[in-house]
Amino acid sequence: MTTIEETAGRDGALRRGRGAGWAAVGALAAATFTVVTSEMLPVGLLTPIGGALGVTDGTAGLTLTVTGVVAAVGAPVLTLAVGRADRGRVLCGLLAMLAAANLLAAGAPDFGVMVVARVLVGVGMGGVWALAAGLAVRLVEARSVGAATSLIFSGVAVASVLGVPAGTLIGQFGGWRAAFAVVAALSALVAVALAMLLPPLPAEGAVRLDGVLRLFRDARVRTGLIVVALLVGGHFAAYTYVRPVLEEVSGVGPGVISTLLLVYGAAGVAGNFVGGVGAGRSPRGTLLVISGVLAGAVLLVPLLGVGVRGAVALLAVWGLAYGGGSVSTQTWLMAVAPRAREAASALFVGVFNAAIALGAFGGGRAVGGGGLAGGCGRGALAAGALVAVAAGGGRGGGGRGGCRGEVRCRLAGSATFVAAASDER
């Protein structure tokens, strides 16, 4: 059996010492940042999108729901469908499609065209995230695999907390269509960077359906996926509609919204660092804290989010908690499935995006019914994640010693990655 170290040594031999491997890793981080930013872009632009296309805030929120559903299905399906195709070429094609999709959204004359554009975004989102996650081992030396994979995943984390406020800021000065056009241009640039920097990456082995299904039989993997579903679903039930909620509860205007979301983003980046450190020591303990804090922050928005100061404080706590969620759940799943990275990543992306879609849809029902505070109330799902983490810890799900074989936790930059064991599970 070829180990990760042997694979990294073979595939990285020609690039070692020249920095080309790290340049390719940086391009992959830019790709994950771009696809997640594309997915999250409507969050801070719901009100102007709805006004321009003649739909309510709840209906406009379907632009996020549709993308999440397609990405949830597309991640595992694309991973199976691409078979042994060169991963670099597939990624370039997906980024080019993402550029076209965002350009279509920028010029959408009606809501139907916008939905078509968001479907294409979902395909690109699911495919890029699932395929990019396992490529670091083929780009850098063995000792740097953990750091490189962390950098790739950091694109997801940073986009999750900064993509929305950045898009909102662009929309404030140039309109929501300009925000989509800017992301379209970014997608095209990243596609070019991938084409120039990625070496040939032929598939080492096609992912098989039976291999993906086998992961579900591992109770530790199921626990990790349940936690992802509850945390992400609870978060997006509230966060998708944070703009109308802030406008109603806090009484702030559009100009202040972008500033508040930047506060949230900055706190989220800090939370990603803090969560990465904590997950390197104990994924379970870190997720217990994140679940409890996130549930409390989201549920208290209607009560304590009155006025700018209250909104700033709550968004800062909210961002700090959610910012560490992605790296912590990824660390958990990589620890319990070290020999099935691509399959585990596909399942993670599928569940993550299904939770976004369901959370956004649930929050939209509350908004559509006139109960903005009710959308925040759905953040109680995070409390369910707290219970799931506590109940699942006894099975070895992500805690110290929870995996068979040698698991090396490495902290690099803003994320932690659990390197795969070199022996058979």
Side-chain angles (χ1 to χ4, degrees):
M1 174 66 68
T2 301
T3 67
I4 282 186
E5 286 78 4
E6 291 168 350
T7 302
R10 183 186 68 238
D11 292 338
L14 296 178
R15 295 173 297 281
R16 194 169 297 163
R18 298 203 302 266
W22 281 105
V25 168
L28 289 175
T32 57
F33 172 84
T34 302
V35 294
V36 177
T37 297
S38 296
E39 183 186 28
M40 301 296 142
L41 197 58
V43 172
L45 304 170
L46 284 185
T47 302
I49 288 175
L53 301 181
V55 296
T56 65
D57 286 339
T59 301
L62 292 176
T63 56
L64 195 69
T65 302
V66 168
T67 303
V69 169
V70 174
V73 176
V77 170
L78 272 172
T79 303
L80 295 170
V82 296
R84 296 182 177 275
D86 184 280
R87 275 16 185 185
R89 292 181 180 179
V90 173
L91 288 170
C92 289
L94 290 172
L95 262 296
M97 183 184 67
L98 193 71
N102 281 309
L103 197 59
L104 180 63
D110 54 49
F111 190 67
V113 175
M114 173 63 79
V115 169
V116 172
R118 298 298 293 172
V119 167
L120 295 176
V121 170
V123 174
M125 161 72 190
V128 170
W129 193 353
L131 293 177
L135 292 181
V137 67
R138 306 181 63 185
L139 297 172
V140 298
E141 294 176 313
R143 65 174 180 268
S144 301
V145 168
T149 305
S150 298
L151 181 58
I152 293 173
F153 277 142
S154 74
V156 177
V158 174
S160 297
V161 297
L162 289 183
V164 173
T168 305
L169 193 62
I170 295 171
Q172 179 183 341
F173 291 102
W176 66 269
R177 294 184 187 276
F180 281 99
V182 168
V183 178
L186 176 62
S187 302
L189 288 173
V190 174
V192 173
L194 289 173
M196 294 177 61
L197 297 173
L198 287 181
L201 292 169
E204 294 181 308
V207 176
R208 299 175 60 87
L209 180 61
D210 57 350
V212 175
L213 295 177
R214 271 199 304 271
L215 287 178
F216 281 112
R217 293 202 287 267
D218 190 325
R220 301 165 302 170
V221 172
R222 290 199 304 271
T223 297
L225 294 176
I226 289 171
V227 172
V228 170
L230 292 173
L231 272 181
V232 177
H235 168 75
F236 278 95
Y239 189 59
T240 303
Y241 302 93
V242 68
R243 177 167 181 161
V245 168
L246 288 173
E247 290 175 342
E248 179 180 291
V249 176
S250 302
V252 296
V256 180
I257 295 294
S258 59
T259 302
L260 290 175
L261 291 179
L262 283 172
V263 169
Y264 166 87
V269 171
N272 188 50
F273 279 91
V274 174
V277 173
R281 297 172 179 173
S282 172
R284 177 174 176 263
T286 303
L287 283 170
L288 285 171
V289 173
I290 287 173
S291 300
V293 174
L294 185 62
V298 172
L299 288 169
L300 288 174
V301 168
L303 298 177
L304 302 181
V306 179
V308 175
R309 291 184 179 179
V312 167
L314 281 173
L315 282 176
V317 173
W318 187 348
L320 190 65
Y322 187 72
S326 178
V327 63
S328 299
T329 50
Q330 286 166 353
T331 298
W332 179 301
L333 287 171
M334 292 298 135
V336 300
R339 305 298 298 182
R341 290 188 185 192
E342 207 165 80
S345 294
L347 289 176
F348 177 87
V349 176
V351 171
F352 195 103
N353 285 280
I356 290 176
L358 292 174
F361 178 75
R365 294 292 294 271
V367 171
L372 293 176
C376 288
R378 294 182 183 273
L381 288 172
L386 184 72
V387 175
V389 175
R395 302 187 189 97
R400 284 191 180 276
C403 301
R404 291 186 292 269
E406 180 188 0
V407 178
R408 295 183 298 280
C409 295
R410 305 183 184 189
L411 178 66
S414 61
T416 299
F417 176 74
V418 182
S422 61
D423 59 332
E424 287 286 356
R425 290 187 67 191

